Amino acid sequence: MSDPTSLMFTTIFICLTVNIGMSLYGIFVRPSLVKKFIALTIFSDTLNCFAIALGFRRVVGSYPSIAVLAALPESPEQLSQLASTAVDPLPQALVLTAVVIGLAVYMFLAGLILMYYRYYKTTHVEVARGGRVG
Amino acid sequence: MRTREVVIAVSVAAMVVLLAYAIEVGGLGPIAPQRIRDLAATYLINTYNPWNITLSSLSLEAVTAIVWDYRGIDTFFETSVLFVAIVGVTSLLRGFREKTGLSSAGLSEIVKTSTKVLAPLILVAGVAIALHGHLTPGGGFQGGSFIAVLFILLSVTFSLDYAISYGISSRKLLALRSGGLIGILVTSLALLIASLILGVNSYIFQNMAREGAPLSMPSWFLDRPTGGTLIWFNTFEALAVAAGISLAFLVLSLREEEVEEALGQVEWYE
């Protein structure tokens, strides 16, 4: 906990868990389907941020120059140097897949919510069960 | 009702505290370790490795190489999921018909003029993100979403009537979307077809030469690396995603009058 990098990462992770809690509360408690939908997108974005943050890597001492291949490498040593400083690319690729599938699901959900609104003239969940608003 | 909300709030708060404590004491493994896993190092070393071409994809960007080369079949099915979702949306809202003269004439003159300035910039940026997917961060999906924003912006500021009067219809967008998916399929099978003609072995989704499969996609265009299949995948994916998201927006933004006409007499709740 003493060095600033640890403190920063701990803060980020705790903020993400708080975000998860708030979005779950929104999904469970808010009666409006649109509010539930927004809370669901916040939930999935938080989990994606989690996955990206888990792939991060700490560098001891001063940070090197940006660890990307800015030009074509000239020798295999340059590649091993990249591998010794760059972050894990696999979580980013998996998150990209998750984002695309999330988009597909949300488009479908938005269509469903739109149909619900047109049929019942409200987005309150209790109405479909025959309950009373408010 | 009140107690139920309180119970949910307290249990969610307890979950947050426990999860934060578990992360703090290292329950999910060390936070931001100094060494990355061997698998990640393998990807980083082999993504652009002209000295060991049988493991490489000759793409400077590791994420695109993983998405479209090392885990290509994953991404193909992911694109199919997006396609199926769009088909679901269009069949769910099947009362949709392109009719003009229903909605307003768009936003004010100032917004229209500034959109005209912005529109070509958005298009160029989207295409650049898509086509440079194997060189810089970005790729087909990101570029395609970027281009779809252009359509959404135009149909909001100039009204949907304007877009429809320019000949954009859900049928054409769906055809473009399917064309992108077919392009991805053809690219993934291109080397297989070539190897059947030449009588050598090959794999589906093959990019560079592998052991026992000597064919490679052309990985250079003049003096620029193209990443073999990656540039084709990114192009077709950008086309497919741009058309797909535009289509979903077109269908989701249909007018109330059309729905009531299509559904007929709807039995409203009370």
Side-chain angles (χ1 to χ4, degrees):
Chain A
M1 280 304 287
S2 52
D3 68 310
T5 320
S6 290
L7 192 64
M8 191 184 75
F9 272 105
T10 313
T11 314
I12 289 174
F13 274 83
I14 288 175
C15 288
L16 287 175
T17 51
V18 170
N19 225 350
I20 288 176
M22 286 199 297
S23 54
L24 279 182
Y25 180 79
I27 294 171
F28 291 149
V29 171
R30 298 298 302 200
S32 166
L33 279 176
V34 176
K35 303 278 170 58
K36 279 183 196 291
F37 181 72
I38 292 171
L40 191 66
T41 55
I42 293 174
F43 184 59
S44 86
D45 286 344
T46 309
L47 289 187
N48 288 341
C49 283
F50 236 128
I52 296 246
L54 284 178
F56 208 78
R57 133 186 249 169
R58 185 192 314 231
V59 176
V60 186
S62 63
Y63 272 75
S65 57
I66 304 169
V68 293
L69 284 178
L72 295 180
E74 280 147 16
S75 64
E77 287 74 41
Q78 227 170 330
L79 290 172
S80 7
Q81 201 206 339
L82 172 80
S84 69
T85 52
V87 299
D88 193 343
L90 194 59
Q92 303 185 12
L94 297 182
V95 163
L96 178 59
T97 310
V99 164
V100 177
I101 293 189
L103 178 83
V105 172
Y106 295 143
M107 271 190 319
F108 190 70
L109 272 182
L112 280 181
I113 292 173
L114 200 61
M115 290 305 270
Y116 187 97
Y117 173 74
R118 287 195 175 125
Y119 194 76
Y120 292 110
K121 289 290 178 195
T122 176
T123 54
H124 198 289
V125 275
E126 294 293 326
V127 171
R129 261 192 261 157
R132 290 256 163 207
V133 182
Chain B
M1 205 59 190
R2 208 65 214 149
T3 45
R4 182 172 159 265
E5 282 178 23
V6 170
V7 166
I8 289 175
V10 168
S11 49
V12 164
M15 190 207 76
V16 166
V17 170
L18 287 178
L19 203 56
Y21 181 70
I23 291 168
E24 175 62 37
V25 297
L28 288 180
I31 295 171
Q34 289 178 12
R35 285 193 72 244
I36 49 173
R37 295 165 304 151
D38 292 342
L39 178 64
T42 313
Y43 279 134
L44 285 170
I45 288 178
N46 287 325
T47 296
Y48 187 92
N49 195 344
W51 300 279
N52 186 4
I53 208 155
T54 54
L55 288 176
S56 177
S57 69
L58 291 190
S59 150
L60 289 170
E61 227 257 312
V63 175
T64 309
I66 293 171
V67 163
W68 279 118
D69 190 356
Y70 296 116
R71 306 178 67 89
I73 294 180
D74 252 25
T75 311
F76 178 72
F77 284 113
E78 163 218 312
T79 305
S80 311
V81 167
L82 190 60
F83 183 73
V84 170
I86 288 162
V87 168
V89 167
T90 45
S91 60
L92 194 69
L93 301 168
R94 60 188 172 278
F96 175 70
R97 270 164 295 158
E98 283 93 2
K99 245 198 283 182
T100 53
L102 281 172
S103 60
S104 61
L107 300 178
S108 73
E109 210 51 50
I110 301 168
V111 184
K112 281 185 183 170
T113 311
S114 50
T115 308
K116 274 179 201 161
V117 176
L118 270 179
L121 299 179
I122 294 177
L123 184 66
V124 168
V127 172
I129 288 174
L131 291 187
H132 290 157
H134 58 288
L135 298 175
T136 55
F141 176 72
Q142 293 91 324
S145 319
F146 222 96
I147 299 169
V149 166
L150 175 67
F151 173 79
I152 294 172
L153 195 65
L154 285 180
S155 60
V156 167
T157 53
F158 287 89
S159 84
L160 210 55
D161 283 5
Y162 181 82
I164 291 171
S165 69
Y166 262 76
I168 294 172
S169 67
S170 59
R171 202 170 289 269
K172 278 181 195 165
L173 285 174
L174 196 61
L176 210 58
R177 175 80 182 90
S178 314
L181 205 59
I182 290 169
I184 290 171
L185 199 64
V186 168
T187 311
S188 65
L189 296 178
L191 275 185
L192 193 67
I193 296 165
S195 71
L196 283 179
I197 294 167
L198 295 174
V200 290
N201 285 330
S202 177
Y203 297 106
I204 300 175
F205 275 93
Q206 188 179 346
N207 183 5
M208 290 299 137
R210 296 284 180 258
E211 259 186 70
L215 288 182
S216 288
M217 287 291 275
S219 68
W220 290 88
F221 177 71
L222 303 179
D223 61 337
R224 301 279 154 196
T226 61
T229 51
L230 297 185
I231 191 168
W232 297 106
F233 279 137
N234 277 331
T235 311
F236 289 124
E237 171 83 353
L239 187 72
V241 168
I245 296 179
S246 305
L247 174 63
F249 182 79
L250 189 72
V251 172
L252 283 178
S253 66
L254 81 172
R255 275 67 59 97
E256 293 291 321
E257 294 87 348
E258 293 180 15
V259 180
E260 284 182 21
E261 200 181 314
L263 288 178
Q265 188 60 41
V266 178
E267 207 177 292
W268 305 112
Y269 174 76
E270 219 207 280

